[in-house]
Every structure is written in structure tokens, then in C-alpha cells.
Amino acid sequence: SPTGGQQHGTAFAGGAVAKGNSIGVRGACPDCGLMGVRFFGAPISDLAASFLWCADPNNDGDDSDGATILSNSWGFGSGDYQ
């Protein structure tokens, strides 16, 4: 959500997959799909589960419906993340 306090990901997603039409910009890969996953503030176990979900969203053992590329923008603040 662009109002969720994390507009950075929304902006870069648009730059990646924006459609090639006469409105705004054209993304680098306008015919690609996009899976938005937000996990900041979650426990590390949920972080790991979110990556597994990206690879196999319906958890059927067939990863052909999963993401081919993961693009991550890490910006952890100060602190100890274990």
C-alpha cells in the first residue's frame, strides 16, 4: 500500500512493471507480473516463510507459479536482528 509508510517499494515496483501505454512511464518489464510481499516488523520465522511463499504461493510443491526474480530493498535501522 502506498499509504503504509513504505512508499519506496511501491515506487520501484512501478518502475519495474509499469505497462507500456501512453500514461506515465513504461517499466523495465511491462509484461511481467508482480507479487507484493511486506514483512517488516515480523519475526524472523515469518520472514523466512515469506520467501518460501514467493517461491511456491499455493504450497503445492510446484514452484512454476512462484516468483522468478526477487527484488529486495533492505533498510534495517539500528539494532540487533537475530
Side-chain angles (χ1 to χ4, degrees):
S1 159
T3 60
Q6 299 292 332
Q7 297 88 351
H8 174 81
T10 302
F12 278 86
V17 299
K19 294 298 175 196
N21 55 27
S22 61
I23 302 171
V25 300
R26 180 182 191 273
C29 189
D31 295 324
C32 292
L34 178 69
M35 298 168 67
V37 181
R38 182 186 308 214
F39 49 75
F40 285 109
I44 294 296
S45 59
D46 289 350
L47 175 71
S50 68
F51 282 104
L52 293 173
W53 179 83
C54 288
D56 185 10
N58 59 1
N59 199 28
D60 66 353
D62 176 11
D63 63 3
S64 66
D65 57 346
T68 304
I69 297 172
L70 298 178
S71 176
N72 304 281
S73 181
W74 302 101
F76 290 117
S78 62
D80 186 16
Y81 294 92
Q82 297 183 21

